[in-house]
Amino acid sequence: MTGYDASHEVSENALMPDGSLTLRRATVHEARVVLALISEAAAWLGTKGTDQWSSPWPDRRRRDARVRESLARGKTWIAWDGAVPAATITADSTEDPRWPEQLRRHPAIYVERLVVSRAYAGRSVGAALIDWSGHEARRGYGALWIRVSAWTTNLPLHAYYERQGFRPCGYHLDVRYPSRARFQKPTPYRLSRA
């Protein structure tokens, strides 16, 4: 599925399961919104005993460039509560070459930068965004898997993904890459309401 662009097949203004949030594709002009959500999450993570996002990887300029590139490619979404950004997700159908070739034989959606504002924590917003990305990828191009690469040392994050139905798939070989822990789960047949 390399090169497939699912962004044109995803419906704009999709509502979150409880109807309280509106999801829409982010624009390049909303880079500050996405980066602010990342900064808020990084500050919170710093209080949780993890080194995740303690400094932008590999540095701020290149991290911000990756964020802007995803925005320009239409791969990043923001969940809005009126005018307040509640969460963001980047969902990309392009194969991640860090995953083993035998796993990449089956179409997948690769979720990156899933960030929920602390004000919306505990409301299953992250879980709903994961399921939404999988549902849209299955509907759009027959994706069978949702894949994430989690921060290697953040074991509570690994446990979160496992509670969401993900199964561990080993580690990326590049030891310099901070998100080496791989997880995947099947795409849902329909959007979860939980």
Side-chain angles (χ1 to χ4, degrees):
M1 297 309 301
T2 301
Y4 178 84
D5 182 6
S7 63
H8 299 294
E9 300 195 27
V10 180
S11 26
E12 298 282 346
N13 298 319
L15 292 178
M16 297 303 294
D18 67 358
S20 64
L21 301 177
T22 301
L23 185 64
R24 85 176 157 70
R25 190 184 328 277
T27 70
V28 292
H29 304 293
E30 293 169 322
R32 277 191 258 161
V33 173
V34 174
L35 291 169
L37 285 166
I38 292 170
S39 292
E40 177 192 357
W44 174 75
L45 286 164
T47 70
K48 297 296 172 190
T50 177
D51 63 343
Q52 182 171 346
W53 295 353
S54 58
S55 61
W57 183 85
D59 56 54
R60 184 171 307 279
R61 181 185 60 78
R62 287 185 278 181
R63 189 268 325 259
D64 293 359
R66 283 194 320 274
V67 168
R68 287 186 180 88
E69 178 184 350
S70 294
L71 288 163
R73 292 176 51 220
K75 305 296 183 181
T76 301
W77 296 76
I78 299 174
W80 294 92
D81 184 0
V84 177
T88 184
I89 186 171
T90 297
D92 195 342
S93 61
T94 305
E95 290 178 352
D96 184 337
R98 290 178 293 246
W99 282 73
E101 186 177 344
Q102 70 270 22
L103 292 177
R104 288 187 280 131
R105 290 183 190 142
H106 305 286
I109 189 74
Y110 294 85
V111 170
E112 303 170 347
R113 291 186 293 280
L114 172 62
V115 182
V116 177
S117 170
R118 292 296 84 212
Y120 295 86
R123 299 186 191 182
S124 298
V125 174
L129 286 170
I130 290 167
D131 284 350
W132 168 84
S133 71
H135 171 78
E136 292 295 328
R138 178 180 279 275
R139 185 180 64 81
Y141 60 96
L144 300 177
W145 299 100
I146 304 169
R147 294 190 175 129
V148 297
S149 296
W151 196 265
T152 309
T153 59
N154 189 342
L155 300 183
L157 180 61
H158 301 186
Y160 168 80
Y161 282 124
E162 290 190 54
R163 286 192 307 274
Q164 299 308 313
F166 285 85
R167 295 293 167 247
C169 294
Y171 291 86
H172 297 296
L173 296 178
D174 183 354
V175 297
R176 295 167 298 164
Y177 186 57
S179 295
R180 292 181 56 225
R182 295 184 296 230
F183 294 85
Q184 71 176 8
K185 77 173 186 175
T187 54
Y189 286 97
R190 70 186 119 228
L191 186 59
S192 169
R193 296 291 177 189

